[in-house]
Amino acid sequence: MDAEVKFMGTLLLHELKIEERRRLNISNSCKGMIDHNARVLLIYTGGTIGMVENMDTGALEPFNFSHLRSNMPEIKRLNFQVETHLFDPPIDSSDMSLAVWQQIVRVIEENYGDYDGFVILHGTDTMSYTASALSFMFENLTKPVILTGSQLPIGKLRTDGKENLITALEIAADKDALGHPVVPELCIYMQNLLMRGNRTTKVNAYHFSAFSSPNYPWLAQAGLEIRYDRQLILMPDYHRPVCFHYAMDHHVLILKLFPGITEEVVRAQLEVPGLKGVVLEAYGTGNAPMYAWFSKQMQRAFERDIVIVNVTQCLYGAVEMHRYENGRQLENMGVTSGSDITTEAALAKLMFLFGKGESPAEVRRLMKVPLCGELTVRE
Ligand code: ASP
């Protein structure tokens, strides 16, 4: 499939860009330059950042954008243009769906030519799923798309939302010395850190630092200034147009192993009608029980050509099925290694590849190939 060739091309181009930067003496750790003519589209989907307290129940509920805007007069002080697009009604990101992802892609496609960058305000609960999905749905992204949100609503005195939003907007407007966006990637910005979106996972329900990028370094850190690490940032092919993908196939699921799991539970999941792909959250470096019933259920799934991708339940590290007998048996059965991909990205990638109509054999092959920096290839 050409996505792989394109990604390799992107990598090559990335190398060339590094060469070009060396020649021009542009260092890899750099700060961006705000483009005062920049136009950034702020897309509000919902989430805590814009929520208010329901006086009767005390629970937070999505609220309209005028509330957010009146609490953020700082937006007017930015010396570039910010326009807004509102999702109506705004949602708690627990209500996120493939349809809303498609809506986001539509908004960005329709406005792509008119803006230098995009910031998406989104609830933190499913932000990593959305970031992963969008990273595949935008192919050869040439402009920044930055997701951000907050743990405390913008109207609260101690809100983390203001800094997150202002810095995300600046990142979306930042340019390098060649006039290109510094981060033409799908990212999450939260609590001073810019991370590749499809490498993130939500790790904290309380702290402002809600996200981690366990297996890929941060792309930038915001302190007194925003310092980017150029070497880590994907470079697109500026001669090729960005391609917007809409089709995502929902015939996938996550099967998490735990001691005591029964055949009934595994069978019920693997026999879901129409199932095409499974993210198997296994132990450690990708190990699973060696019970006869477990192998039998897996074999049955393979007979139905279901793609099973092995990801680790650990936050850090990767699947290496050859290390233990309990992993080797999975490999021998035909389970695909997800390397160090997150569960969120593995799920989104399966949805994307099946959505494109790839055959199970091709999906198995492509799951091991990084399409947009979502996994590390190991020898
Ligand atoms: N429940 C909220 C949401 O994801 C939490 C948040 O925004 O942080 O929409």
Side-chain angles (χ1 to χ4, degrees):
M1 205 206 65
D2 54 348
E4 180 188 354
V5 176
K6 281 170 194 159
F7 182 73
M8 293 306 171
T10 304
L11 275 186
L12 262 178
L13 209 92
H14 184 45
E15 293 303 311
L16 284 177
K17 293 273 177 206
I18 291 173
E19 270 312 304
E20 192 180 357
R21 284 196 193 95
R22 272 200 198 109
R23 197 169 47 77
L24 294 170
N25 207 12
I26 301 170
S27 101
N28 279 318
S29 167
C30 72
K31 47 182 197 145
M33 292 178 296
I34 295 273
D35 171 3
H36 298 299
N37 296 315
R39 296 180 76 202
V40 176
L41 185 63
L42 174 60
I43 301 165
Y44 175 58
T45 67
T48 298
I49 194 160
M51 288 185 181
V52 287
E53 216 167 283
N54 178 319
M55 288 307 167
D56 298 329
T57 63
L60 291 173
E61 288 176 352
F63 198 68
N64 68 33
F65 191 75
S66 57
H67 165 74
L68 191 115
R69 185 151 259 220
S70 59
N71 278 287
M72 278 292 294
E74 292 87 347
I75 293 183
K76 291 200 202 85
R77 290 174 48 203
L78 289 168
N79 44 13
F80 52 89
Q81 221 177 309
V82 179
E83 280 159 41
T84 47
H85 179 99
L86 318 178
F87 276 47
D88 190 15
I91 57 166
D92 184 301
S93 79
S94 316
D95 288 321
M96 194 45 63
S97 63
L98 303 196
V100 180
W101 289 344
Q102 286 154 350
Q103 241 178 295
I104 297 174
V105 176
R106 173 79 56 216
V107 171
I108 294 191
E109 177 169 22
E110 283 172 355
N111 290 284
Y112 201 74
D114 296 331
Y115 292 90
D116 295 271
F118 301 84
V119 171
I120 304 173
L121 290 177
H122 190 292
T124 58
D125 287 346
T126 59
M127 194 186 282
S128 290
Y129 288 94
T130 297
S132 299
L134 295 181
S135 74
F136 299 111
M137 294 168 92
F138 299 126
E139 187 184 321
N140 193 45
L141 194 63
T142 52
K143 297 181 179 180
V145 178
I146 315 295
L147 283 147
T148 193
S150 69
Q151 295 281 63
L152 277 178
I154 206 104
K156 294 266 182 195
L157 212 49
R158 290 180 49 250
T159 187
D160 50 327
K162 288 194 183 188
E163 193 281 325
N164 287 345
L165 175 51
I166 294 293
T167 308
L169 288 167
E170 289 199 359
I171 290 169
D174 263 354
K175 298 277 165 55
D176 67 13
L178 303 171
H180 290 138
V182 184
V183 195
E185 275 212 40
L186 193 302
C187 302
I188 285 185
Y189 176 76
M190 199 82 182
Q191 267 294 289
N192 309 327
L193 300 178
L194 184 70
M195 294 164 267
R196 176 168 299 157
N198 58 28
R199 289 297 196 142
T200 63
T201 193
K202 184 172 178 181
V203 290
N204 206 311
Y206 279 173
H207 289 181
F208 290 161
S209 314
F211 293 91
S212 174
S213 172
N215 291 315
Y216 197 75
W218 310 318
L219 305 183
Q221 253 184 299
L224 291 181
E225 49 194 29
I226 304 168
R227 301 291 316 179
Y228 298 91
D229 196 331
R230 301 299 307 256
Q231 257 171 330
L232 300 172
I233 297 171
L234 286 176
M235 285 298 131
D237 179 351
Y238 285 106
H239 302 295
R240 231 172 28 86
V242 55
C243 187
F244 301 92
H245 297 277
Y246 288 87
M248 294 291 269
D249 195 324
H250 65 266
H251 293 99
V252 297
L253 59 79
I254 300 167
L255 168 52
K256 182 167 183 155
L257 297 180
F258 55 91
I261 194 167
T262 60
E263 179 167 18
E264 226 181 339
V265 169
V266 173
R267 191 191 322 116
Q269 295 190 59
L270 294 181
E271 286 184 356
V272 166
L275 185 66
K276 294 181 183 168
V278 173
V279 178
L280 176 69
E281 269 202 12
Y283 306 122
T285 51
N287 305 312
M290 286 177 68
Y291 314 135
W293 65 257
F294 185 77
S295 309
K296 186 179 81 193
Q297 291 305 328
M298 299 295 277
Q299 291 298 355
R300 282 198 178 160
F302 287 126
E303 280 157 22
R304 288 165 46 224
D305 224 357
I306 291 172
V307 175
I308 302 182
V309 182
N310 194 343
V311 304
T312 173
Q313 292 183 7
C314 300
L315 190 54
Y316 293 87
V319 164
E320 290 176 2
M321 287 186 274
H322 58 271
R323 280 190 182 269
Y324 294 90
E325 198 43 43
N326 287 49
R328 277 170 55 85
Q329 55 143 16
L330 289 180
E331 193 165 38
N332 294 340
M333 275 190 264
V335 171
T336 305
S337 170
S339 181
D340 59 357
I341 198 168
T342 61
T343 296
E344 294 89 330
L347 189 81
K349 191 169 176 180
L350 283 174
M351 287 177 167
F352 169 72
L353 293 174
F354 282 119
K356 287 190 83 181
E358 301 294 356
S359 67
E362 189 62 357
V363 172
R364 281 187 192 99
R365 192 181 72 77
L366 288 170
M367 283 306 293
K368 292 193 259 183
V369 178
L371 300 183
C372 43
E374 73 279 12
L375 59 89
T376 311
V377 179
R378 279 151 216 273
E379 294 312 312

